Amino acid sequence: MPTVYLSPSLQEFNQYVNGGNEEQMMNLIVDAMIPYLRASGIQYVRNSTEQSLLEAIAQSNAGNYDLHVASHSNASPESLSGQLQGTDVYYRPGNWSSKRFADILVRNFKQIYPNPQMVQALPTSSLAEVRRTTAPAVLIEVAYHDNWQDAQWIKDNIDAIARTIVRSMTEYFGIPFVEPQPERVGIVQTGGPNLNIRNRPNTGAAVIGRIPDGAQITVYSDIGEWDVVGYGGVVGFAYNRYINLQ
């Protein structure tokens, strides 16, 4: 399954014009992303508020991640304080995967941000989380926290922003986007053989894990004949004919 590194802002010193701070709000967005990620079968690791930026980059580079996604909110230059608005998605110049994901994010953010013409993808060679990460990376400046309308839009749309980011990931990876469902317990009943966990919901997809007959698993969601399941630290798709929900 796809695995992503989530890097919400570590900048607690950036205060919102209407209360709260950047680190707090970006972590709320990532918290809201988790149910969508699990339901859609995307594995993740996230940074810690105790880390420095360099430590988060090092942690990302130490893993084998398919995407590095940094989430931030923006602030205007002092001379324009409170005047700027919009969503900026930064990508790595010359990296096709980074730009492709940025373009998907922009297209989908245009559907939720009040002024779609203010949503744009921008190349950057200066932002460390885009330039120094091994995985294809984007940095999303969700909106401007020194602008009252933008700051309030973020606070009022935590779930919509989270959903849009995860939906964009599923589009990028070519997997179904699944709305969160209550987690359930399942028992594998194959009559003997192991049940394969695959990285896509089809029988020709790669096998990334195997579940023995009689094992208890976590079922995160169902997609027709397939369930998104977790077993032994592996999350993926399993044929649900052989899963008995408890």
Side-chain angles (χ1 to χ4, degrees):
M1 295 300 294
T3 305
V4 299
Y5 187 87
L6 306 176
S7 187
S9 174
L10 299 168
Q11 298 171 12
E12 62 180 336
F13 49 83
N14 283 337
Q15 298 298 306
Y16 274 47
V17 68
N18 57 350
N21 64 67
E22 182 178 344
E23 180 184 79
Q24 175 191 9
M25 295 304 164
M26 294 305 107
N27 273 281
L28 288 175
I29 289 172
V30 170
D31 289 345
M33 288 170 61
I34 303 307
Y36 292 104
L37 291 167
R38 287 176 174 163
S40 298
I42 299 174
Q43 299 191 81
Y44 66 91
V45 171
R46 66 189 290 180
N47 67 10
S48 164
T49 57
E50 305 304 314
Q51 289 178 312
S52 68
L53 178 60
L54 291 180
E55 288 171 335
I57 291 172
Q59 182 183 29
S60 175
N61 289 343
N64 185 27
Y65 298 105
D66 299 293
L67 278 175
H68 178 107
V69 181
S71 49
H72 288 250
S73 54
N74 216 339
S76 308
E78 187 175 352
S79 61
L80 295 171
S81 180
Q83 298 180 46
L84 299 182
Q85 291 182 266
T87 301
D88 296 331
V89 182
Y90 290 94
Y91 65 89
R92 189 184 311 162
N95 186 297
W96 181 82
S97 297
S98 175
K99 185 177 188 304
R100 176 172 170 262
F101 184 50
D103 288 342
I104 293 170
L105 282 166
V106 165
R107 184 170 64 251
N108 290 332
F109 261 85
K110 284 178 180 288
Q111 298 177 29
I112 63 169
Y113 186 73
N115 299 299
Q117 70 275 14
M118 294 182 179
V119 181
Q120 60 182 338
L122 298 168
T124 180
S125 299
S126 60
L127 295 173
E129 283 198 87
V130 178
R131 178 174 56 88
R132 299 180 60 179
T133 45
T134 301
V138 299
L139 187 148
I140 310 166
E141 295 279 14
V142 174
Y144 280 78
H145 58 250
D146 64 338
N147 177 280
W148 196 94
Q149 288 87 350
D150 264 20
Q152 193 62 43
W153 177 77
I154 293 172
K155 288 187 174 183
D156 290 343
N157 290 276
I158 295 291
D159 186 74
I161 294 166
R163 186 180 187 277
T164 296
I165 296 172
V166 177
R167 184 162 65 90
S168 299
M169 290 180 182
T170 62
E171 186 176 342
Y172 174 85
F173 291 125
I175 60 177
F177 174 75
V178 184
E179 298 286 352
Q181 302 169 18
E183 291 184 15
R184 293 160 291 173
V185 172
I187 304 296
V188 170
Q189 295 183 333
T190 62
N194 292 333
L195 178 62
N196 291 328
I197 304 177
R198 300 184 182 271
N199 70 348
R200 296 288 190 278
N202 66 74
T203 55
V207 175
I208 58 174
R210 291 181 172 86
I211 312 170
D213 185 33
Q216 179 175 300
I217 61 175
T218 301
V219 178
Y220 295 112
S221 62
D222 64 80
I223 310 167
E225 297 179 328
W226 297 84
D227 286 346
V228 176
V229 304
Y231 178 77
V234 177
V235 176
F237 296 93
Y239 199 47
N240 59 25
R241 177 183 296 178
Y242 302 109
I243 298 172
N244 183 17
L245 295 176
Q246 301 300 292

